[in-house]
Amino acid sequence: MTANRKISVIAVGAALVLVVAWFFLLWSPESKSLKSAHKARAAADQKVSDLQTQVGQLEGLVKQIPADNAAFAQLQQQLPDNPQLDQTLNLMHQAALQNAVTIATLTPSQAASGSGPSSSSSSGSQASGPPAVTLTISAIGPFNQLKAFVGALSKMSRTVVIDRVSISGVGNSAANITARIFYAGQPSP
């Protein structure tokens, strides 16, 4: 072989060794690193998208705050901190007047804790729930007006639960109603 040819073969061999070394030492690790970076970027883009969706949802909730505050204020009116019997009795009197019903008697009970119609369950333990005042109401009027009066009681701007209604008589009927009004405070001893 000639000297030029030997140099050419050595040069090609050296170039081939350099290309193989470059591929395994530089290109392949960087290629893997680039793939990892692409995966990390895709994950980060997805995370950004998820966070932008969350931001949109939270902004929607922030816009809902005034309506929620108004609803909360309305619920506080329906469930005040104390029984407010005077206001409740005025509301019941207005409902009776609007429905042409006469309230013969209205007797409130002592405030008690519990959500059931009686303050104790069959096992003797007290029922849980907000404190309530039980009202026993006797009303007189035509059947349809008494029925409308009971409906008006259940729609008062105060949390009222009607536990029992009995209506008797023809024409001018008599109704006996047992109802509970609730409040958020502690019951009186």
Side-chain angles (χ1 to χ4, degrees):
M1 267 198 192
T2 66
N4 280 340
R5 189 168 171 115
K6 273 187 182 180
I7 293 176
S8 295
V9 170
I10 292 174
V12 168
L16 187 61
V17 168
L18 284 175
V19 167
V20 169
W22 170 80
F23 179 79
F24 285 111
L25 295 175
L26 296 175
W27 178 263
S28 183
E30 290 301 317
S31 176
K32 289 178 184 175
S33 178
L34 186 61
K35 285 180 185 177
S36 299
H38 284 303
K39 285 181 184 177
R41 179 177 176 158
D45 287 344
Q46 181 62 43
K47 184 74 173 174
V48 166
S49 175
D50 292 345
L51 290 173
Q52 286 174 337
T53 302
Q54 274 187 332
V55 166
Q57 291 170 345
L58 292 173
E59 286 173 346
L61 290 174
V62 166
K63 290 177 185 175
Q64 184 65 31
I65 288 174
D68 288 346
N69 285 340
F72 181 69
Q74 184 180 13
L75 289 174
Q76 280 184 315
Q77 281 182 333
Q78 293 176 358
L79 193 65
D81 289 335
N82 56 51
Q84 297 180 351
L85 281 175
D86 56 340
Q87 294 173 5
T88 303
L89 297 178
N90 281 336
L91 290 171
M92 289 183 173
H93 179 71
Q94 290 172 5
L97 288 175
Q98 290 172 350
N99 291 291
V101 169
T102 302
I103 296 178
T105 62
L106 194 151
T107 309
S109 72
Q110 186 72 12
S113 178
S115 60
S118 74
S119 62
S120 63
S121 64
S122 60
S123 67
S125 63
Q126 274 202 336
S128 64
V133 175
T134 301
L135 301 172
T136 305
I137 306 164
S138 295
I140 301 168
F143 177 80
N144 287 335
Q145 271 80 10
L146 286 172
K147 186 176 161 184
F149 173 65
V150 170
L153 290 179
S154 66
K155 294 177 184 171
M156 282 181 21
S157 64
R158 183 66 199 271
T159 303
V160 177
V161 173
I162 298 173
D163 293 316
R164 186 176 51 86
V165 175
S166 65
I167 299 176
S168 61
V170 180
N172 213 18
S173 301
N176 291 313
I177 304 164
T178 303
R180 288 174 290 145
I181 59 169
F182 295 93
Y183 60 101
Q186 294 297 321
S188 302

